[in-house]
Amino acid sequence: QKEVEQNSGPLSVPEGAIASLNCTYSDRGSQSFFWYRQYSGKSPELIMFIYSNGDKEDGRFTAQLNKASQYVSLLIRDSQPSDSATYLCAGSSASKIIFGSGTRLSIRP
Amino acid sequence: KAGVTQTPRYLIKTRGQQVTLSCSPISGHRSVSWYQQTPGQGLQFLFEYFSETQRNKGNFPGRFSGRQFSNSRSEMNVSTLELGDSALYLCASSLESMRVGNIQYFGAGTRLSVL
């Protein structure tokens, strides 16, 4: 079992709809969680980070964390073609950070 | 403020050779982490350096090594290159060593091809 698991996709969402990306983790020592966006051929770019249970909103993005269920999600509202990318989920503890394999998101016009 | 700078951007080597990659972190950042990214394995953690000391290490063979200088710049070395070492090598810098909420910022990466 991978320590951070994501559905590889591709996840296809119509423009203007809500894209929902999910991530589960196995290490209960993980305390901080990050969502990075990576365009093809580019390096990862931080979108959101969260370390408290509940929701955290930033513009069109909302990160959700449920430590009891070991579950992290990212919602993208009003999806745009520019949101088409691979989204990496990562969990960090005091000594390591583990990335998921990423979910490929495609926004169709 | 300048971002994380990695050099070179592209490298072509042959099996058995060695290679050194360089990373200059964001000004003021003292932690530098290195990652290997391949289509099959995703983003794999190599090691982290903080104040010239290796703080954390991933599950890679001893052929992969690194160091950090007093100005926080870091180098990664891979000796006796294998075909499977072909990958995008990413460097990430952060203010502090790994702790709750510590954010890593990535450089553009060095794409290494081993022939």
Side-chain angles (χ1 to χ4, degrees), chain A residues 23-93:
Chain A
C23 171
T24 59
Y25 62 96
S26 60
D27 182 5
R28 287 196 176 273
S30 296
Q31 298 171 299
S32 306
F33 300 88
F34 306 85
W35 283 99
Y36 285 85
R37 177 177 64 198
Q38 187 173 24
Y39 292 115
S40 180
K42 302 293 186 183
S43 61
E45 170 193 15
L46 182 71
I47 298 296
M48 296 279 291
F49 71 92
I50 186 168
Y51 49 85
S52 298
N53 270 329
D55 296 0
K56 180 181 179 183
E57 187 175 318
D58 184 1
R60 296 187 298 113
F61 300 95
T62 299
Q64 299 174 317
L65 173 59
N66 184 323
K67 291 187 178 180
S69 301
Q70 296 177 252
Y71 177 89
V72 190
S73 66
L74 178 70
L75 301 177
I76 306 174
R77 290 180 299 281
D78 188 23
S79 295
Q80 303 296 310
S82 59
D83 295 327
S84 296
T86 295
Y87 289 80
L88 302 170
C89 169
S92 78
S93 62

Side-chain angles (χ1 to χ4, degrees), chain A residues 31-32 34 36 38 43 95 97, chain B residues 35 37 56 100-102 104 107:
Chain A
Q31 298 171 299
S32 306
F34 306 85
Y36 285 85
Q38 187 173 24
S43 61
S95 61
I97 179 168
Chain B
Y35 297 86
Q37 188 174 38
N56 297 290
V100 176
N102 194 36
Q104 295 192 324

Side-chain angles (χ1 to χ4, degrees), chain B residues 9-15 17 19 21 81-89 110-115:
Chain B
R9 291 294 312 279
Y10 303 93
L11 266 177
I12 299 175
K13 293 286 187 179
T14 56
R15 281 183 299 172
Q17 287 187 311
V19 67
L21 312 181
L81 284 167
E82 300 177 359
L83 295 179
D85 297 333
S86 295
L88 178 66
Y89 290 87
T110 294
R111 186 163 296 280
L112 171 65
S113 296
V114 181
L115 306 178

